[in-house]
Amino acid sequence: MVSNSDRITSLEVGMEKMREEAEANRIENAMQFQELLKAIGDLKEDSVKGGKKKKEPKIGIGSSSDDEEDESVGSKKNNFGVKNRDPLRDCRKIKMPIFEGVDAYGWIYRVERYFEVQGIEEKDQLRAAALCMDGTALAWYRWNEARSPCRSWERLKQKILVRFQPSYEGSVYEQFLSIHQEGTAREYVCEFEKLAGQLLDLPEAVLEGTFIKGLKLELRSAVRIMEPETLARAMRGAIMLDENKTNPTPKAGTGGVRTGAATNQNPVTPEHQ
């Protein structure tokens, strides 16, 4: 049988535990209340700062104080307030030149310009080139990588030319040195520029001599008589001579074309014939 003293002791212990729990709850509530007050203070501070007039980004083309300040430190911000690292990327979005197995020399030239503009470093050019392939070229690349993977972009270029450049055309040097006019002078100039653009190490005298030598005999003689001082003048002169020969300007008095006045004054009808 439990004595009264034991019950009193048990009640005292229970009350002590309740007091301890109440004190712990009070401390916890006080801490939460302090955190709440701090959060409210932070919100008030943010609202005060936000009340200041902010410069809003302007849409469209035009000067602004933001632009002038950015220009003074050598940089500009776009409409979203982000600094542009390279202005060229914003004025023209350049797409990756895709290679499907046609015109290997032309694609190599375009993809290297892409590397240059995009700032792709030499160590990353090999992986970037793989992303520029599709169709037959991509199938070949996967087959080649499984057997004899390339370790550099220069090595991959060599393999691409061996695989995709037609053997009957020869190297780009062979194609350039054997170039000759088959159609119009304008078409010949376009083909010449396409090949010469891939051979930037050739002297100007070699370029000019090869261009004139490739013209048709009659046009070649006419250009030589002009004695052009530069390759650009030789190309322009060849086009002018060729097109003027193809579409000569009618001369007055030859009877080739009637003037409007003469035609109206003396109309020719079947009744007068």
Side-chain angles (χ1 to χ4, degrees), residues 197-246:
Q198 303 173 57
L199 304 172
L200 303 179
D201 56 337
L202 292 179
E204 186 74 6
V206 174
L207 294 171
E208 184 176 348
T210 304
F211 173 79
I212 295 177
K213 181 178 178 296
L215 291 168
K216 292 180 180 179
L217 180 59
E218 181 180 352
L219 190 57
R220 185 194 315 160
S221 301
V223 171
R224 282 175 175 168
I225 292 174
M226 293 173 58
E227 297 183 350
E229 297 179 357
T230 63
L231 173 60
R233 291 188 177 183
M235 296 167 78
R236 184 166 60 250
I239 292 175
M240 292 177 60
L241 290 170
D242 185 57
E243 293 183 348
N244 287 336
K245 179 187 67 175
T246 306

Side-chain angles (χ1 to χ4, degrees), residues 169-182:
E169 292 183 358
S171 68
V172 67
Y173 287 95
E174 292 179 79
Q175 295 178 57
F176 176 74
L177 295 175
S178 62
I179 189 173
H180 61 278
Q181 180 187 355
E182 295 181 350

